[in-house]
Amino acid sequence: MTIVEFDTIERLLRDEDLAGVTSVLSTMSVAEILAAMRRLRSNRQALLYRLLDKDVAMAVFERLAPAVQTELVAGLRDEELVSLVEDLDPDDRVLLFDELPAQVADRLLHGLSPQERRLTTPMLGYPQGSTGRRMSPEYVRVKPTMTVAETLDRVRRVGSDVETVYTLMVTDEVRHLVGVVALDDVVLASESTPIGEIYRETASVTAISNAEDAARLCADLRAIALPVVDSEQRLIGILSIDDALTILEDAESEDAARAGGAEPLRRPYLSTPIHRLVRARTVWLLVLAVSAMLTVGVLERFEATLGEAVVLALFIPLLTGIGGNTGSQAASTLTRALAVADVRPADIGRVVMREAQVGLTMGAVLGALGWCIATPIYGVDIGNIIALTLLSVCTIAAVVGGAMPLLAKTLRVDPAVFSTPFISTFCDATGLLIYFTIASAILGLGSGS
Amino acid sequence: MTIVEFDTIERLLRDEDLAGVTSVLSTMSVAEILAAMRRLRSNRQALLYRLLDKDVAMAVFERLAPAVQTELVAGLRDEELVSLVEDLDPDDRVLLFDELPAQVADRLLHGLSPQERRLTTPMLGYPQGSTGRRMSPEYVRVKPTMTVAETLDRVRRVGSDVETVYTLMVTDEVRHLVGVVALDDVVLASESTPIGEIYRETASVTAISNAEDAARLCADLRAIALPVVDSEQRLIGILSIDDALTILEDAESEDAARAGGAEPLRRPYLSTPIHRLVRARTVWLLVLAVSAMLTVGVLERFEATLGEAVVLALFIPLLTGIGGNTGSQAASTLTRALAVADVRPADIGRVVMREAQVGLTMGAVLGALGWCIATPIYGVDIGNIIALTLLSVCTIAAVVGGAMPLLAKTLRVDPAVFSTPFISTFCDATGLLIYFTIASAILGLGSGS
């Protein structure tokens, strides 16, 4: 979509020239319409959505954020809503139900055709965040004894109703997962070949596994579909790469937001109302402000020292800044390493050893540099204080920053939550304590109160 | 892979029990071997790699980071190297060539079979970071006039040599891209149907386009393969979802590293030598330390003010901390919004307006809170100073933090580079200037030197 096209749509919507909008929309692809929707305020999103052709509307709806879906749904007549929900894929339907008031979701569930209700109800039984809620119960299942010709027949018969035909699930008579067979291998084999000769073994996930971990596995294996099984290895669904990518994108948006100290926005930036932007950030900032009070407490303890040597105040932002940055460097490195499974929580010993070495080295470099800059201007005492403080602060910050994400993961808290802002505050308070302790010792001053 | 398996491998490698390692390896999947490789130091990685079966070694090699590949290559005999490079996919080969010394790459290029060299040479002509260097020149091409039966014949004939057969490229007689046809639509159609009736139009990218943008488009469209064309819309390759995901994962690792103020590691954390970890972080930290000197300069200007009212020093870390966090919240929100194309650089006006409102609101909330806490303890003057400073700092930090990523994108610099650390430092210096200016005015003190 060109910027011109979007500006045209926005102008036509503002002028309420609905015929004009409809004619522009008819020339746009689903991706272009989605891009336009992402940039509109919510009342205009609803207006635009109502102007879409039914099939296009369905394709657009499936790709919208659940928060936006809920708003659009609120504007639909009851029969429109029932038919929309009936047409959704079961996994998208479950996600929408999670957003809707329980009563509405319940009414919609009972309004479904028996076939669609049979697919949806079991998924609603799995816990939020589990693979079972995000899987697709519609897939092609074949037996090892079937031939290639029989398999292609089945694909042709059920192919248009399932999530994907590129990966077919191979099971035994009691639905136990045996493996998968790729459609290209089926097409390349001769018609009489039994599936038992061309299938391969596969990784699988259980329905109660964490959906994000399952999605990561699916993407890492570059699998078009990953089988989802119950506790007895019986096949109950598939996680497609499409859905895996959606799960990972949401997880990455969440990580990025939390690393910056905000809750993730549940809808595109430009269509998020200001008060929601504020709310996403204020809660975090209040938590941080309260913990920043710690730094006031630490400094208060050393107020007398500060009074005797005001020059010490000059270096406060520099030292806390470097400490905070060292800590967040380590935290973001380890958060990412955990996310891509390069490191596991059990590696904490190795990580602490490595970060201690990294922190010491960096502290030595920065300390030497600080000494050389500070000594000629402020004297050798201040030079020594700066150098020793940098050495200690860098080491502690790197170790704590590196260890925190692993501890968070062990405690089943989001590692990104422990990242930048939390570590900065921790390093600020600790850094100040170290700074003034060293300064008091070297300058021979009283330690305050 | 269980932790026990990895520990076994590490112990066997340490004991140089190569037969033992080989027997454990024979029970492991490629994904498990990759997971083990990621956790080993580089000399052991090379040892493990040499023990792999040839086919497995190839599959493992393709998925390793280019920096690790280069090290492994250094340990191979010449004829082993030539045969390895011959077996690589052209796009993986181009990536490896970029890492190797130019002489070695050149020698290897000339050692290729004429067919493979014909595929590789044009790709090397595209600029680094372009789609042309990451595309696959091996795909299935069909004409609109071909029937389904003819198409399936062609798939069976060339299917095992191409990147994917799930998306077939449809071109006219002069190789102009017409559209794509999905293998499932081919399989589901009757044998005599011409492709002209079942193909659909498609998005495409040019070979000189930015590879990351192309990968994002491929993933957004959930396309198994995106056609790559030259300036005259002639098909020259495809970007597969596999390769798109690799490009996006690398880009996300880079963003995550830079948001934390470090250069991305080019290999897994646990197998990165300590001195490389230090180097990835020190350069950034030095840049930040130098700019943190700014804060020393600002404070020096106000040293006299500080001497008259030491109590002002108590709030320095709190104010700079809140300013820095507000800035990095806005920066990370906008960096993410840019990455997922929710916002474009041209939206800077809207973004500044929104962030000014968000910053003012947050500043008002935090300022009111600060006033209520500070006034009873330190008096109404200090309360007013804190409240006014928080209001100004939050507004400026949100606006600057929000605008920076968009400016960076306009200047074609990585927006993540401008994120957290840069903004923190900027906000520290500006925040201090505002703080002492307000304090001097309210307390009626001299503004220092």
Side-chain angles (χ1 to χ4, degrees):
Chain A
M1 181 190 58
T2 61
I3 294 189
V4 177
E5 260 171 347
F6 173 71
D7 288 345
T8 311
I9 288 182
E10 203 174 34
R11 182 172 48 72
L12 291 170
L13 281 174
R14 201 170 44 227
D15 299 348
E16 296 185 357
D17 175 359
L18 302 189
V21 177
T22 310
S23 99
V24 174
L25 284 176
S26 67
T27 68
M28 291 167 69
S29 69
V30 168
E32 289 168 339
I33 295 169
L34 275 166
M37 290 279 278
R38 278 205 294 246
R39 304 170 54 79
L40 289 172
R41 278 191 280 116
S42 63
N43 52 344
R44 291 203 181 134
Q45 280 178 337
L47 188 54
L48 190 72
Y49 180 75
R50 295 207 64 102
L51 296 173
L52 295 173
D53 185 70
K54 187 167 181 298
D55 289 344
V56 177
M58 193 64 209
V60 167
F61 189 85
E62 285 175 353
R63 297 291 304 275
L64 292 170
V68 178
Q69 289 181 340
T70 315
E71 283 181 6
L72 293 182
V73 159
L76 294 182
R77 288 192 315 273
D78 236 35
E79 66 271 26
E80 286 176 316
L81 180 53
V82 169
S83 113
L84 175 87
V85 171
E86 177 80 23
D87 286 347
L88 278 176
D89 283 339
D91 52 330
D92 293 328
R93 195 184 289 143
V94 167
L95 269 190
L96 177 62
F97 281 6
D98 282 345
E99 291 289 318
L100 293 174
Q103 256 182 316
V104 178
D106 217 44
R107 190 160 49 78
L108 287 173
L109 181 64
H110 287 95
L112 288 175
S113 66
Q115 156 72 356
E116 292 296 327
R117 190 162 65 237
R118 195 179 55 72
L119 290 173
T120 310
T121 314
M123 294 178 67
L124 288 166
Y126 294 107
Q128 296 230 8
S130 69
T131 308
R133 274 182 113 90
R134 306 299 296 266
M135 70 186 180
S136 168
E138 297 173 300
Y139 49 88
V140 181
R141 190 161 64 91
V142 295
K143 298 211 181 74
T145 49
M146 284 168 69
T147 64
V148 161
E150 289 168 332
T151 301
L152 286 175
D153 267 354
R154 173 164 295 184
V155 167
R156 286 195 191 96
R157 219 166 44 244
V158 300
S160 50
D161 299 329
V162 298
E163 178 88 15
T164 180
V165 297
Y166 292 145
T167 304
L168 313 175
M169 301 292 133
V170 185
T171 61
D172 65 13
E173 359 9 89
V174 291
R175 231 188 162 86
H176 282 133
L177 179 67
V178 173
V180 291
V181 62
L183 185 64
D184 55 358
D185 288 334
V186 175
V187 170
L188 295 180
S190 72
E191 297 223 319
S192 60
T193 312
I195 292 301
E197 283 182 18
I198 53 171
Y199 84 91
R200 53 197 165 71
E201 289 184 29
T202 176
S204 64
V205 291
T206 63
I208 55 163
S209 64
N210 178 294
E212 197 180 324
D213 293 342
R216 174 73 56 192
L217 181 65
C218 180
D220 276 355
L221 297 175
R222 304 286 191 264
I224 291 182
L226 199 62
V228 182
V229 295
D230 66 13
S231 56
E232 277 143 25
Q233 281 292 109
R234 266 190 305 257
L235 184 70
I236 50 175
I238 60 171
L239 182 69
S240 71
I241 184 80
D242 281 20
D243 292 326
L245 290 182
T246 305
I247 294 170
L248 290 178
E249 279 164 15
D250 289 348
E252 262 144 23
S253 288
E254 193 178 284
D255 280 2
R258 291 199 170 141
E263 279 301 296
L265 302 176
R266 303 185 57 248
R267 34 190 310 160
Y269 176 81
L270 289 177
S271 73
T272 307
I274 298 285
H275 71 271
R276 281 186 185 276
L277 285 176
V278 172
R279 203 163 60 189
R281 300 187 199 171
T282 306
V283 178
W284 263 94
L285 212 54
L286 286 176
V287 172
L288 294 168
V290 170
S291 64
M293 298 288 289
L294 257 184
T295 61
V296 178
V298 171
L299 285 176
E300 221 166 16
R301 230 192 109 199
F302 292 103
E303 203 173 347
T305 313
L306 259 177
E308 289 176 70
V310 174
V311 66
L312 290 177
L314 305 188
F315 304 98
I316 292 177
L318 178 124
L319 294 171
T320 55
I322 289 180
N325 280 319
T326 312
S328 57
Q329 283 180 328
S332 60
T333 304
L334 270 303
T335 301
R336 181 68 191 169
L338 274 175
V340 297
D342 277 355
V343 163
R344 285 179 303 219
D347 293 317
I348 190 153
R350 279 176 81 181
V351 169
V352 165
M353 285 301 298
R354 293 173 72 84
E355 288 301 324
Q357 292 175 62
V358 173
L360 263 175
T361 314
M362 299 200 337
V365 172
L366 290 171
L369 193 81
W371 193 91
C372 294
I373 296 175
T375 305
I377 309 176
Y378 306 102
V380 72
D381 275 352
I382 299 290
N384 288 340
I385 294 170
I386 303 283
L388 282 174
T389 306
L390 281 172
L391 188 68
S392 341
V393 164
C394 283
T395 310
I396 292 175
V399 169
V400 173
M404 273 296 168
L406 277 71
L407 286 178
K409 185 91 176 181
T410 310
L411 301 172
R412 294 170 185 283
V413 190
D414 184 347
V417 169
F418 278 83
S419 194
T420 317
F422 180 89
I423 307 251
S424 295
T425 304
F426 171 85
C427 293
D428 281 359
T430 321
L432 290 172
L433 209 57
I434 294 171
Y435 178 43
F436 282 101
T437 307
I438 292 176
S440 306
I442 290 188
L443 299 179
L445 300 171
S447 78
S449 57
Chain B
M1 181 191 59
T2 62
I3 293 189
V4 177
E5 259 171 349
F6 173 72
D7 288 346
T8 312
I9 288 183
E10 205 175 32
R11 183 172 47 74
L12 291 170
L13 281 174
R14 202 169 44 227
D15 298 350
E16 296 185 357
D17 176 359
L18 302 190
V21 178
T22 310
S23 99
V24 174
L25 283 176
S26 67
T27 67
M28 290 167 70
S29 69
V30 168
E32 288 167 340
I33 294 170
L34 275 167
M37 291 279 277
R38 277 205 295 246
R39 304 170 55 78
L40 288 173
R41 277 190 283 115
S42 64
N43 52 347
R44 293 203 179 134
Q45 279 178 337
L47 188 55
L48 190 72
Y49 180 74
R50 294 208 64 102
L51 297 173
L52 295 174
D53 185 69
K54 187 166 181 300
D55 289 344
V56 177
M58 193 64 208
V60 167
F61 189 85
E62 285 174 352
R63 297 290 304 275
L64 293 171
V68 178
Q69 288 181 341
T70 315
E71 283 181 6
L72 292 182
V73 158
L76 294 181
R77 287 192 314 275
D78 236 36
E79 66 270 26
E80 287 176 315
L81 180 53
V82 168
S83 112
L84 175 86
V85 171
E86 178 80 23
D87 287 347
L88 278 176
D89 282 339
D91 51 331
D92 293 329
R93 193 184 290 143
V94 167
L95 269 190
L96 177 61
F97 281 6
D98 282 346
E99 291 290 319
L100 293 174
Q103 258 184 316
V104 179
D106 218 44
R107 191 161 47 79
L108 287 172
L109 181 63
H110 287 94
L112 287 176
S113 65
Q115 155 73 355
E116 293 295 328
R117 190 162 65 238
R118 196 178 54 73
L119 290 173
T120 310
T121 313
M123 294 177 67
L124 287 167
Y126 295 107
Q128 295 232 9
S130 69
T131 308
R133 273 184 115 91
R134 307 299 295 266
M135 70 186 181
S136 167
E138 297 172 302
Y139 50 86
V140 181
R141 190 161 63 92
V142 295
K143 297 209 182 76
T145 50
M146 284 169 68
T147 64
V148 160
E150 290 168 333
T151 302
L152 285 174
D153 266 354
R154 172 165 295 185
V155 167
R156 286 196 190 96
R157 219 165 46 243
V158 300
S160 50
D161 298 330
V162 299
E163 177 88 15
T164 180
V165 297
Y166 292 145
T167 304
L168 314 175
M169 301 291 133
V170 185
T171 60
D172 65 14
E173 347 26 80
V174 290
R175 231 188 162 88
H176 282 133
L177 179 67
V178 173
V180 291
V181 62
L183 184 63
D184 55 358
D185 289 334
V186 174
V187 170
L188 295 180
S190 72
E191 298 223 319
S192 59
T193 312
I195 293 301
E197 282 181 19
I198 55 172
Y199 84 91
R200 53 197 165 71
E201 289 184 28
T202 176
S204 64
V205 291
T206 64
I208 54 163
S209 64
N210 178 294
E212 197 181 322
D213 293 343
R216 174 72 58 191
L217 181 65
C218 181
D220 276 356
L221 297 174
R222 303 286 191 265
I224 290 182
L226 200 60
V228 181
V229 296
D230 65 13
S231 55
E232 277 144 25
Q233 281 290 111
R234 268 191 304 257
L235 185 69
I236 51 177
I238 61 170
L239 182 69
S240 71
I241 185 79
D242 282 19
D243 292 326
L245 290 181
T246 306
I247 294 171
L248 290 178
E249 279 164 16
D250 290 348
E252 263 145 21
S253 288
E254 194 178 282
D255 281 3
R258 292 200 170 142
E263 279 301 296
L265 301 177
R266 302 186 56 249
R267 34 190 311 159
Y269 176 80
L270 288 177
S271 72
T272 307
I274 299 285
H275 71 271
R276 281 186 186 275
L277 285 176
V278 171
R279 203 163 60 190
R281 299 186 200 171
T282 307
V283 178
W284 264 95
L285 212 54
L286 286 176
V287 172
L288 293 168
V290 170
S291 64
M293 299 288 290
L294 257 183
T295 62
V296 179
V298 171
L299 285 175
E300 220 165 17
R301 230 192 108 199
F302 292 103
E303 204 173 346
T305 313
L306 260 176
E308 290 175 71
V310 174
V311 65
L312 290 177
L314 304 189
F315 304 99
I316 291 177
L318 179 123
L319 293 172
T320 56
I322 288 179
N325 279 319
T326 312
S328 57
Q329 284 180 327
S332 60
T333 303
L334 270 302
T335 301
R336 181 70 192 168
L338 274 175
V340 296
D342 277 355
V343 163
R344 286 179 302 218
D347 294 317
I348 192 156
R350 279 176 80 180
V351 169
V352 165
M353 285 301 299
R354 293 172 71 84
E355 288 302 323
Q357 292 175 61
V358 173
L360 263 174
T361 315
M362 297 199 336
V365 172
L366 291 171
L369 193 81
W371 192 91
C372 295
I373 296 175
T375 304
I377 309 176
Y378 306 102
V380 72
D381 274 352
I382 298 290
N384 289 341
I385 293 170
I386 303 283
L388 282 175
T389 307
L390 281 173
L391 188 68
S392 338
V393 164
C394 284
T395 310
I396 292 175
V399 169
V400 173
M404 273 295 168
L406 278 71
L407 286 178
K409 185 92 176 178
T410 309
L411 301 172
R412 294 170 184 284
V413 188
D414 185 345
V417 168
F418 277 83
S419 195
T420 318
F422 180 89
I423 306 252
S424 295
T425 304
F426 171 86
C427 293
D428 282 358
T430 322
L432 290 172
L433 209 58
I434 293 171
Y435 178 44
F436 282 101
T437 308
I438 292 176
S440 306
I442 291 188
L443 299 178
L445 300 172
S447 77
S449 56

